[in-house]
Amino acid sequence: MELRRLPNILSLSRLLLAVLFVPAGRGVRVILICVAAATDFLDGWLARRTNATTRWGALVDPIADRIFVLVAIATYVMNGELSLAAALLFLSRDIATALGFFVARAVPALRGVTFKARYPGKIVTVLQLATLLALVFGFQPLAPLIAFVALASAVAIADYTLALWRARAK
């Protein structure tokens, strides 16, 4: 079964990390963010290196990433440590790609388009994880980091949109 392959197990481990994040203290949260970042790098690297890429892996990896980040951000919003506006800016790329995925599945001309991770999106993920670490450590002011994530997200959204538009034309 495809989900039992090591890269997919690493991706799925981020779901457990997300669950553990909510009640964790500062030190454990730092470890969880670092482990999430490591598994995010390692799952893709292993899949490509061992020729173990799967369709499930291509789906599970970004979903696990988004769930981990969403749970972490929601935890900080619920604890009053992050405003809803900052959270929405932080998650803007994730919100846009989720909407884009559903639109692409609803529009017949786009249904055959394959979604793949793109470099600007990977940069956003790295910036999100770095900003989460800054949040854990109480870095202030956080607004410039959130703005940087939002700017990188806008670039990634434009890049994904352009890629989808080009794929549609084929």
Side-chain angles (χ1 to χ4, degrees), residues 121-147:
K122 291 179 182 205
I123 289 172
V124 172
T125 300
V126 168
L127 292 172
Q128 284 178 326
L129 292 170
T131 303
L132 277 176
L133 282 173
L135 187 56
V136 170
F137 284 117
F139 179 83
Q140 293 297 328
L142 197 60
L145 294 175
I146 298 288

Side-chain angles (χ1 to χ4, degrees), residues 49-167:
R49 181 113 173 143
T50 62
N51 200 24
T53 57
T54 66
R55 195 171 170 169
W56 272 109
L59 183 64
V60 168
D61 177 49
I63 290 172
D65 290 344
R66 301 296 66 83
I67 289 173
F68 179 81
V69 169
L70 178 63
V71 168
I73 289 299
T75 299
Y76 284 108
V77 170
M78 299 302 285
N79 290 341
E81 299 172 71
L82 189 66
S83 72
L84 183 58
L88 290 174
L89 284 171
F90 189 94
L91 297 169
S92 60
R93 183 272 318 248
D94 305 315
I95 295 166
T97 54
L99 289 173
F101 176 81
F102 290 116
V103 167
R105 293 301 168 244
V107 176
L110 299 175
R111 285 189 188 137
V113 175
T114 303
F115 285 84
K116 293 183 180 179
R118 300 185 50 82
Y119 189 69
K122 291 179 182 205
I123 289 172
V124 172
T125 300
V126 168
L127 292 172
Q128 284 178 326
L129 292 170
T131 303
L132 277 176
L133 282 173
L135 187 56
V136 170
F137 284 117
F139 179 83
Q140 293 297 328
L142 197 60
L145 294 175
I146 298 288
F148 195 51
V149 170
L151 177 62
S153 294
V155 170
I157 292 165
D159 179 66
Y160 281 119
T161 302
L162 187 58
L164 181 64
W165 187 259
R166 287 181 179 153

